[in-house]
Amino acid sequence: MSLLNEYILKEQQLKQLQEDLNRLENDQRLKNELAFKEKLEALMEEFHKSAADVIALLDPNADQRSSKPLKSTDGRRKRRLKVYKNPHTGEVIETRGGNHKGLRAWKDQYGDETVESWLDRMED
């Protein structure tokens, strides 16, 4: 990929991220969550409690559940979910393997490196 193509791609990605950020900033649900977080942190500070103290108070069994490793039925670890977002079309593909029909078509059209740069996030 030429440096100019990479620059144009990054510019498009930046524009998309700015649009996403603006949309989130105007979302009332986010505003409510931020207000809740601020009030919770103030309350924790007032009573000298940590996040772990609050979790232990609200869910005493949380530490037992989080220490168990996730395994599939055949004893193998699940592959991580990869989420790709095409900056040209806005289309999103979620896959746990590289054999996804749409992802393969993208790689044939744009090239492996370009499509891998579209990796939006990975989840367990």
Side-chain angles (χ1 to χ4, degrees):
M1 175 189 309
S2 77
L3 194 56
L4 180 59
N5 288 344
E6 185 176 350
Y7 175 80
I8 291 170
L9 178 64
K10 296 295 182 187
E11 199 173 50
Q12 290 171 347
Q13 290 173 343
L14 178 61
K15 183 180 177 186
Q16 182 64 43
L17 286 172
Q18 287 174 334
E19 290 172 3
D20 292 346
L21 184 60
N22 287 336
R23 189 177 65 255
L24 279 173
E25 287 173 348
N26 295 325
D27 191 334
Q28 188 60 42
R29 294 174 300 167
L30 176 64
K31 292 177 183 177
N32 289 342
E33 287 186 27
L34 289 172
F36 174 76
K37 181 179 180 265
E38 289 174 11
K39 289 177 183 179
L40 179 60
E41 288 173 343
L43 192 61
M44 288 168 50
E45 189 174 318
E46 179 182 344
F47 286 93
H48 306 291
K49 296 292 181 183
S50 68
D53 295 334
V54 174
I55 291 171
L57 180 66
L58 295 176
D59 190 1
N61 298 324
D63 60 338
Q64 294 172 351
R65 281 194 306 272
S66 65
S67 64
K68 294 179 184 176
L70 298 175
K71 288 191 176 182
S72 60
T73 55
D74 63 355
R76 291 178 33 189
R77 186 176 61 86
K78 266 177 101 173
R79 288 185 177 184
R80 297 179 75 183
L81 178 70
K82 291 184 175 183
V83 180
Y84 295 88
K85 185 172 183 181
N86 185 324
H88 305 291
T89 64
E91 185 181 0
V92 175
I93 290 180
E94 297 180 353
T95 182
R96 292 196 184 272
N99 227 3
H100 189 279
K101 184 178 181 180
L103 187 62
R104 180 67 15 230
W106 284 358
K107 287 184 177 184
D108 290 343
Q109 183 177 357
Y110 299 104
D112 288 348
E113 288 182 19
T114 302
V115 174
E116 285 301 320
S117 73
W118 297 348
L119 183 62
D120 190 40
R121 66 181 185 276
M122 292 178 71
E123 301 174 2
D124 287 326

